[in-house]
Amino acid sequence: MRSSFLILSFLSLIFFAKCQVFEPSTASEGPETGVFVIVDSGSKPLPEGSALQIGEIRKLANKMPMVVFKDLTPGDHTLLVNASGFAPYQSLVTVPPGTINTVIVRLLPSISSDIEYDGTEIKLYDTSMDIKIPPGTFEGLKEGETLTLRRSHINVKSDMLHAMPGDFSATALDGNSVQLESFGAFELTALSGGRELQIKEGKSIQVLIPFQGEVKPGQTHATLWSFHEKSGKWK
């Protein structure tokens, strides 16, 4: 069975459906305040020049997939990881005073396709993702320009689920906090000329992925959740 997921107003998002709790990152006592980041790239080696960033501090993880950020202000910080061949990673990390907090980052492999935009509908078929993009969907994309679609489909029954950003806490429409359990997930980013593209107001794209859950009698849909980078929460 396949489910049609409709993206309505923005693109560089990851969509999710419903409640799983994961253990928080561990902390080790120490005289300094910071974060020790371990990058898990699975069976693929971490590419040279992979960048990790917290605030204005940017470091490269080349041969060793480990980076230490020291002298951070206690509190919540946004951790960004960018590595070629993997989906961008972003998560909020908490830095208690007087400790070096250990955080394990699991990167999600991604694939990219370059398409010369000719003003017609774009259709892209993968093993586990079908994408349809109507003409004129993206802001600022002109005919003749190259559109790059970077995407990942997540098998939520595998360890790759841990590569999803955030701690799976979410804010429902009624304002209540909930925990999510995934029935299917993907990451999709559109770029042109090195810039991320946004979907025009009122436009949409269609993405088909497998529904990885039990379909209950009479069930016709599943709630979609998107990850918001500024808040670090799913909504």
Side-chain angles (χ1 to χ4, degrees):
M1 177 180 178
R2 302 181 69 84
S3 300
S4 176
F5 289 168
L6 204 58
I7 310 175
L8 298 179
S9 60
F10 32 71
L11 183 58
S12 183
L13 297 177
I14 308 171
F15 286 91
F16 230 61
K18 256 186 170 188
C19 203
Q20 188 163 347
V21 183
F22 295 94
E23 294 295 326
S25 55
T26 59
S28 56
E29 293 295 327
E32 297 177 294
T33 298
V35 176
F36 176 49
V37 183
I38 302 173
V39 182
D40 180 0
S41 57
S43 60
K44 296 177 62 177
L46 190 66
E48 291 263 347
S50 298
L52 292 83
Q53 185 168 341
I54 294 180
E56 299 298 322
I57 306 174
R58 186 174 184 271
K59 297 191 176 187
L60 298 180
N62 292 317
K63 296 182 179 180
M64 296 296 292
M66 296 177 286
V67 169
V68 179
F69 292 87
K70 296 182 178 180
D71 301 323
L72 297 177
T73 303
D76 292 335
H77 296 263
T78 299
L79 170 65
L80 305 173
V81 182
N82 284 286
S84 178
F86 295 89
Y89 178 93
Q90 175 173 313
S91 183
L92 286 179
V93 295
T94 300
V95 182
T99 65
I100 297 294
N101 200 16
T102 301
V103 177
I104 299 177
V105 171
R106 293 178 174 87
L107 296 182
L108 183 67
S110 66
I111 57 176
S112 294
S113 298
D114 291 332
I115 304 167
E116 184 175 344
Y117 181 58
D118 60 4
T120 62
E121 182 182 53
I122 297 171
K123 295 181 180 180
L124 194 60
Y125 301 104
D126 289 336
T127 304
S128 57
M129 290 181 69
D130 294 347
I131 303 170
K132 292 183 180 181
I133 305 174
T137 295
F138 298 115
E139 293 181 356
L141 181 64
K142 301 177 181 178
E143 291 187 28
E145 293 184 337
T146 299
L147 170 67
T148 299
L149 290 178
R150 185 181 62 205
R151 61 211 182 272
S152 300
H153 172 249
I154 298 91
N155 179 359
V156 299
K157 305 297 184 182
S158 72
D159 288 341
M160 282 295 95
L161 182 65
H162 300 280
M164 301 299 290
D167 60 0
F168 297 92
S169 62
T171 303
L173 292 177
D174 59 7
N176 291 327
S177 295
V178 296
Q179 288 292 126
L180 302 182
E181 174 188 356
S182 177
F183 296 145
F186 66 89
E187 188 272 345
L188 178 63
T189 302
L191 306 104
S192 181
R195 72 185 191 280
E196 289 192 5
L197 299 177
Q198 302 296 316
I199 294 179
K200 294 179 181 177
E201 186 72 27
K203 294 287 186 177
S204 64
I205 70 174
Q206 178 177 282
V207 178
L208 300 178
I209 65 172
F211 182 83
Q212 295 181 279
E214 181 182 355
V215 180
K216 299 179 181 179
Q219 181 180 358
T220 58
H221 67 280
T223 302
L224 296 186
W225 299 81
S226 62
F227 182 75
H228 288 245
E229 297 177 351
K230 291 185 178 179
S231 67
K233 298 285 186 180
W234 294 84
K235 295 184 178 181

